[in-house]
Amino acid sequence: MIRAMTTERGTRRRAPAGAAVLREDVTDAIRAAVFEELAAVGFARMSIEGIARRAGVGKTAVYRRWKSKLALVLDLVAAVAAQGMPAPATGSLYGDVRAVLELAAYALRHPVASQVIPDLLVEAARNPEISEAIKAALLDQQQGVAAVVVREAVARGELPEGSDPDRALDLIVGPLYWRLVVVRGELPKGYLDDLAASAVAALRSGDVGGG
């Protein structure tokens, strides 16, 4: 996952003359350590010293790449956002909704993400920079996916004209987020199937129209 977040542009950029060459394996190790440190102690208690120790490098190696722990976390969040979430193309509204739920459930149940995401959301309420980064990584990305799902469903005649992607996203992902992040409950067998069917029924009823 960490290697996937290293963009092609970043790996191909030529270092300026006289600049120190930053080893990619060290950068990857630091990024992995940040996720682990966030999950273990949270953003408020996270330190450059702890990250460096977990990555097996000196503090200087971290500071060569990022000026602070905030800059480091913002960079990671931006890298996650840059990966994007592919819009499903199953050919049906139910299939697309079910695919969105599957991806969201996988991410929210990940042992690291399940600790990191809630902590960063708390920090976002205090820090505008983190708030904007989280918005770009989570909200903007998923809004784009929802817009595609709704547009394709309207084109197939499965949803009425004027269906609102933002309301659709709330309806599809909201209950799942509540269950996994807020309540921290398990997903019973067939839960995602039932949730997808319920979301599709509500979407088709016209209750989530843009009016």
Side-chain angles (χ1 to χ4, degrees), residues 88 90 92-100 200:
T90 66
S92 73
L93 177 58
Y94 174 84
D96 287 352
V97 169
R98 181 63 176 76
V100 169
V200 168

Side-chain angles (χ1 to χ4, degrees), residues 64-154:
R64 281 197 190 110
R65 292 159 173 83
W66 300 278
K67 63 182 181 180
S68 66
K69 71 174 186 178
L70 175 59
L72 210 172
V73 170
L74 293 177
D75 175 66
L76 286 184
V77 172
V80 171
Q83 290 184 75
M85 177 188 292
T90 66
S92 73
L93 177 58
Y94 174 84
D96 287 352
V97 169
R98 181 63 176 76
V100 169
L101 287 171
E102 186 72 35
L103 286 172
Y106 175 81
L108 293 173
R109 284 188 291 188
H110 189 281
V112 173
S114 64
Q115 297 295 323
V116 170
I117 292 174
D119 183 68
L120 287 182
L121 289 176
V122 170
E123 293 298 328
R126 309 179 186 129
N127 190 311
E129 289 183 276
I130 294 180
S131 179
E132 285 300 312
I134 292 294
K135 180 177 180 293
L138 300 180
L139 179 59
D140 293 353
Q141 182 187 100
Q142 292 193 19
Q143 282 178 326
V145 172
V148 173
V149 169
V150 169
R151 184 178 68 241
E152 293 300 313
V154 170

Side-chain angles (χ1 to χ4, degrees), residues 97 100-101 104-105 108 142 146 167-179 195 199:
V97 169
V100 169
L101 287 171
L108 293 173
Q142 292 193 19
R167 293 188 188 178
L169 181 62
D170 291 344
L171 183 63
I172 295 167
V173 181
L176 183 66
Y177 183 87
W178 173 264
R179 179 143 195 145
L195 183 56

Side-chain angles (χ1 to χ4, degrees), residues 16-31:
V21 177
L22 301 180
R23 287 173 48 189
E24 183 180 341
D25 60 327
V26 173
T27 301
D28 288 347
I30 295 171
R31 283 175 165 157

